Amino acid sequence: MASTTNLREKIKSKRKALQESLTRTRDDIDTQALVNSEMGTNKESQQTAVKEIADNEEEQVENLKRTLKAQRQRRKKPLLEDATDMPTEELVEDLSTVVRGKRTLPPISLSSPRTSYAEFSMRERMREKLKAARSKAESVLQQETSSESLRRLKNLRDAETVTRFDTELDDDEFRRSRDNVSPLSSRVKFRDIVNRLKQKPQTQTGFPTAEEAYNFFTFNFDPEPPEEKPKKKRRSRQDQEEGEEEEAQEEEEEEEEEETAVSGEQEGEAEKDEDAPLVKDQDEDLFIIDQTAQDFLEYKAAECEDYNSRLLKEKEVLFTPSILTVPASHKVPENKQPRFLEDEGLYVGERPEVSLTNQNILENRLLRQEEGKRWFGDDGRIMALPDPIKESSTRPPVFSLEEDVDPALETVYRKAVKSKYTNRYIVGAGDPQGDFQLDIDVSGLIFIHHPLFSREHVLAAKLAQMYDQYLTRQQKNLTSLLTDKLHALRNAIRNITEQHDGQILNPVMQHRIAEYKCEIRHTRKLRDAEQEKDRTLLKGIVKIWKEIKALRDFQRFTNTPLKLCLRREAVDRRADERLFESEIQAEIHELSEEFEEEYQKQLSEYKAKYAEWKAWKKKQKAKRKKKKKQRAEEEDEDGQEKESDEELGEEPPKPDPPGELDVAALEQQVREKANLSRRKPGESNLIAELTSAGNVTPNELCPRGEIMRREDTLKRSIYTKVLYNNKEVSRTASRTLNSDFRVHFGQIFNLKIVNWPESVKLQVFEMVGSSTTMLAEVYVPLPDTTVLTGNAPSEELEFSSNQRVMFDHEGVGSDVPFSFEADGSNKLILLTSGKLSCSVSWAVGENGAPLVPPMSQQTGGIQSAIKQLDAIACIGTSGVSDMKKLAKWAAESRLDPNDPSNAALMQLLTIATSGEVQIPDFFRLEQLQEEFNFASEEELQRSKRFRLLELRSQEVAEFRNYKRVPALDREISEKVFQEYEKRLREREIIDTSDHLDAHRALVAKYLQKVRESVINRFLIAKHHYLLSDLVVEEEVPSIGVLGISLFKLAEPKRPLKPRRKERKKVTAQNLSDGDIKLLINVIRAYDIPIRKPNTSKPSVASRSARSFTEAFAAGQPSQSPTQSSDWPLNQVLIRPFVEVTFQRTVRQTTTADGPNPNWNEELELPFRAPNGDYSTASLQSVKEEVFINVFDEVVYDVIEDDRERGSGIHTRVERHWLGAVRIPFTTIYFQSRIDGTFKINTPPVLLGYSKERSLAGEGGYDAVRCLSEGSYITLFITIEPQLVPGETVREKFDTQEDEKLLQAADKFQKEAALKFPGRQCLTTVIDISGKTVFITRYVKSLNPPQELLDASPNNSQEASELVARFVSLIPSLPDSVSFAGICDLWSTCDQFLDLLAGDEEEHAVLLCNYFLAMGKKAWLIIGNAIPEGPTAYILTYEQSQYVIWNPSSGQFYSQYDTFCPLQSVGCLVNADNVWFNIQQYDTPMRMSFDISKAKFWKPFFSRSFSHPGLSSIQPEELVYCRTDKAAAAELQDRIEKILKEKIMEWRPRHPTRWNRYCTSTLRQFLPKLELNQGKDVGDDHRMELQSLLGDYRISGFPIHMPFSEIRPVIEAVYSTGVHNIEVSNVEFALAVHVQPYPNNVLSVWVYVASLIRNR
Amino acid sequence: MAEVHVIGQIVGASGFPQHSLFCKWGVHTGGAWKLLSGLREGQTQVDNPQNEEMASWSHPIDIHFATKGLQGWPKLHLQVWHQDSFGRCELYGYGFCHVPSSPGLHELQCVTWRPVGSWQDQLSQLFIGGGVQLKNSDLIYSGADRYRLHTSAMGTVHLQLGVILRHFDRYGVEC
């Protein structure tokens, strides 16, 4: 505390001194101001001095050193005195004087550039002094620590700062005294003091505020005042001893010094402790309030360190090396001279370039470090490695992109393009390398005829044409070519004969000669023809030229410059004659030889025949004799005899011997021919030359008509438009028509194409004034991909126009008769025509690459899928797509291998025949692959799991949607692949055992292939998703919809009127097994046959020929009487029930009673999709059918013992099949519900049953009822949940139809759909090769097989029924099954007959064509029927009424038939037109079929769009092959055998016995059934079975079906359930009959019956 | 005989200069590899995020390989395309990455680059769109001399691949 009180006192005294000085200054302001100004100048001078120092350091150094010395010496004294506790005031005073002295010191201009030595010595001295000073200072410090006051210490420091101030200026000195000094500037020195002062109070905790005040006071003012303050202070200190002053003055001072107002206050506060009474006296009022706040608050100024002070601080920490060069002596070890290795001759590398300043800095710094010298080499420089930078770069140069880039690195600039989706665009058309360009060169056109032709022009054109022809012939020179060939051949023969003179020719040679001869004959014929042509042409030319000349003479002017010169070429007459003669002789010789040969042949033939004849004669004679004998002996062998008789039945005619050769006549003939066609010997060669050198008569000399013509000609001009894909892309400039009617355009159009080229068309326009007329359209064939611009030949395309033009001047006009004769006879009509020469070719790119789109692309799409399979190819006839066949053809047709035009072909053939194209040698890319493989390729192949996975991902039919592939190979059984492998094998081998018929096997194979390809196509199409497939957005209800629903709310509720609710449709994809059910509601049936007691004896029904009217109107009245007579007496119940079979699931209804049962039961059958694949495609291709069978439940009493009758019932239930309805699943799937009454397919004969014809007493009703024959069942079928039927793939197919027609068809269909959305309107269909074809092209009258017509020559009714039956016998195969999801494909009739399978359309087209051939009026009906859905029927007009034919069943209905399956009619089609039904109703009963009525039927071709004369695509004539009867018989046996085996197989637990007698009876009966087409034979039949019926209870029936393969037959027999009888004593009878029809159409009858012996 | 099953997705892309991106991808393998099922290549939809940095595709990848050896481990190569406001497509980046060889789920980030081309190309790219593309896109993954190309870095494609390996241990390959 002593020190603190001491300090306080000191401060107090200090303040007092200050106040004193202030008062003093106030007292004598003048002096003060003076001093101030003096001080200012002093300061300035000081600053300048500093500046000077900086300027000439050297000088100053010297100067300062001296002053320093003086100072030190001076200082020594006070320091010594200090030891004796001397007051330091003096020292301070001294210091200030020193400063002042220094300031006053004049700058010594001692300009003496001292040597280093001098410097050195100087330094030495300085060092010594410093040492002394240091020791002194140390001792002083020791004293200070012991007892010295702070103030003294501070003074000491001050003293030190003086030295510091000096040393700062001299680096060297500073460094030496570094240990005990720190740099300070003169100004900063003061601050240091301040800092000390600041630190002081902090240690003395008593007065923080005073300290603050001081701090504030000293810091925040300009740098100037602090200079003064210390002086003041110092002054005050000096004046301290002088005495104390009044404290009141202090306040005055405060008031005076405005800037220190605050600090003054604080000062006052600081003094509170000590001078409390004083403060209280003064500031009582002021501090009353503030007193409390003062205790807590502290007002602090923002702390900010001055830049300079910061620098100062940094100086303490940082070391900045000097940038001055270090003398070498410092760097080398002591007492050593730098040694330069370079001078000594050692290699020293070049040092890296470093700037001198940097080097200096580094050196200075290094020297400062300990052992800093070791960084320096002997030469006194920093050690350094030689410069590592190489002159040239060692990196491989990177070449710029422009030159020679690695092809893998090439980049291409591609424009941003839109991606194209439609495949009509060429893929990659936008790419720069995908530029496709067509060059169309329109060079010009020549008119062959033009309306403005004068007569002379007409002739001239003709002449020019002929001359052209003449020139081309000359150029080809076929005549001489052929003559040469002839000579060569003759020589060859001669050579052969000469070589083998006298020897017998070997067969090869003989054969060759024969060939040569044949060749000669052929060549001669050709040569003669050519010669004749040449001659006539020349004659023609001459004739026309003469005509022209005559015309020119006649009209007395010339219009054309044509001129014909005939040049004669003299020939050597004799040589010529000789040649001619020899030629003729040779010919005669050959001819005679030929004749001889022929004669020999005929003769031998004759001899053979004669011998035969003779032999026959002999035999005949012998036989006659024999017969006479035999007749007497035995009668039995008569049959055999007859046979042999028949063998010889035909008597061969007695042959005539051939005639002899007449040589003279032959010669005559040859000479005549030669005269006619050949130049006569000696006659000079005529060579025609056509020139246009003639003069045209100038206009003035011409008659008026001609002048007008010429003027008219000049008015006209011609231009051509270029149309690409029917869009105009460019046009040529228009050129005026010259008098020679040739127009030269010479323009080339480069078309960059994006779309596939479909057509390139040129339109020739003629312009007269401003009006233009189109003369003609020329279709330019699209160039082959090989036709490139360089090599494309210019083609001349002929065009003509049928425009009628007439003139009143000399122009002949067009389509106008005119004549060259004066009398106007021999008229000619010429049409405007001409030749347009142009060429279309693919352009060649800059780099020579052709700009042709890749052709493979074009064949993408559906077309290709079908195209690849040539429709008929698999059946045996094929085009020359096969290389081998081509080679064979080439060998057969003896192509000349040396002919250049065949070169390409020959080359192709050599490649094809020499084997496969050589596989180029290859190198292995991955050489070490084998060594590092885990497993071999085989192992990979063998893995069953991998195979299964692969097949599944390939969507192979068997493995598609295969679930859960086992993880281990051993878990996969071999069986999985068996079926697939079998199928693969079978693809090649045609298995006839399954099909019984080779042809059908082939067809089945073909259909399988088509089916596969179509399904594959569909699978691919399935992967293309549309937005709607992925994004399902609920439609936002519109105002209208909302309004309606609101309105509905207001409606009165009608709970008794049920409303039909639309079921929710389910997309197929998220379904699984068991989700889908088939609901079949069996409602009721009509007219089910009733049981007939065995004893009944039916009368024979007379079967008369019925007419159509009869059939419809009266039914079968013949049966009614007999039936009705029986009816009431022996009424037998019938208890029918319905059994539905689908996918081997069986459901049945309860049993109802009577012939018109009413079940109204719903049956539910589960549906399982194949392989669990519920995709649309898979559902569409489900082939299964729903069988709805109607059975009769018969209960037999089987109690054998009558005694038991009272106690028990023992009966057996049997069921007898009555009929069936088959509905394919696809129909249900597509229609989503089927509702209607169907005809039950009942067998023609049901043993033990008869049709209930009439009900007694209901005569009137009877007539109506009997309109229908057969039984009917009402059904309602649907799928639960409702499935969304798949969209058919709508793709544009390519076509050969006219664009206009297609557009019209499109429009027609759209209009129809708009008006009647439900009605079918068909205008274009797709043929089997995937092309769109207009429907009328299918209709054409075609001949039915003659046998059918012959069967009933005078009854057209029967004939047409037979024909319909024939058509219906062709098996039906719905397209929707085979071409799932695609569309209907229509095949032509010949294809249909070849394939022997087709659906309703094909049947309908064939039947329609047959009817047309039979002279009927027939139309195709496109409409809806039950159960087929959309289908095609036939409409005929017979005897003033319309008849509807079902082509697939062969049945016909009247228009007003209630049970006609046809439900609606969309349109009618015949060969000329399509009519769309625009009547209100579309059911056949309620509409008119009168197509002439425009308000009922809307025709496609009308007056506005007339029929363009579409040709039919049907063949000219159908050729039928006769069916082999033996094959049919064989088939019959086989079917019977198979069926018998099957029935035994189906009854595994019971023995199956066959009743042979019954079988033979049945077998005899079947042909009759076939003959009558299953009608009205029941009674005859019953009669025949009478014998059997007595003993047995028979139930059975014949089944009839068209034959396609064996499986359906078996299926049909199975479905009847005949085999299900389990009575022990049952016997079976089975007979099969196959009736062959022309063209391999077979009708199969199967008669099955079960017999139970009655006891 | 070993099997590799890659199941995952192309999550999206980020860091491209523009949005409206789509990606074409393909898997390249050596000769020893056999594709059992799944698609080797594909294309994502165009994603145009309104207010996000990253375009999301979430395009599924499901490939099943069988292999005879380790060589030619499958690589996934990608091309990022940009569809501009006119509906035109231009290349934005090539990139490739190896399918991870350890089993499990992997998050991959495939950086992409695109060739720069000459200044003319860049100029026309600036004004009319399009851009320089590789003539042979094999270079994306084969790339012997790729450093010679002048390229600029584009964004990143994010992938998420789950790899299932089977039977590698049989052949002494530990995974």
Side-chain angles (χ1 to χ4, degrees), chain A residues 305-342:
Chain A
E305 212 166 359
D306 193 2
Y307 171 72
N308 291 319
S309 72
R310 204 178 71 227
L311 270 188
L312 210 67
K313 271 187 183 169
E314 277 174 359
K315 275 267 167 61
E316 278 174 34
V317 203
L318 298 180
F319 157 59
T320 315
S322 152
I323 54 165
L324 297 177
T325 321
V326 182
S329 54
H330 291 222
K331 293 186 281 189
V332 287
E334 300 276 345
N335 311 323
K336 262 196 182 173
Q337 284 298 314
R339 173 178 161 221
F340 296 101
L341 292 172
E342 218 167 352

Side-chain angles (χ1 to χ4, degrees), chain B residues 47-114:
Chain B
D47 188 43
N48 189 11
Q50 295 298 311
N51 45 14
E52 272 176 82
E53 254 311 297
M54 190 165 137
S56 311
W57 294 315
S58 301
H59 182 90
I61 293 175
D62 185 345
I63 320 167
H64 192 176
F65 286 111
T67 180
K68 293 191 287 186
L70 278 178
Q71 278 150 311
W73 192 273
K75 302 170 203 174
L76 201 69
H77 50 92
L78 307 155
Q79 289 181 25
V80 180
W81 290 73
H82 169 241
Q83 195 182 48
D84 66 9
S85 53
F86 305 105
R88 306 176 305 170
C89 300
E90 54 189 345
L91 181 87
Y92 255 29
Y94 295 113
F96 95 95
C97 57
H98 282 280
V99 168
S101 54
S102 63
L105 185 70
H106 302 265
E107 301 261 354
L108 304 181
Q109 313 227 317
C110 179
V111 289
T112 59
W113 53 270
R114 74 163 168 194

Side-chain angles (χ1 to χ4, degrees), chain A residues 822-839:
Chain A
D823 56 351
S825 65
N826 204 358
K827 284 199 174 181
L828 262 167
I829 298 174
L830 287 175
L831 295 176
T832 310
S833 59
K835 279 191 284 189
L836 184 72
S837 69
C838 64
S839 75

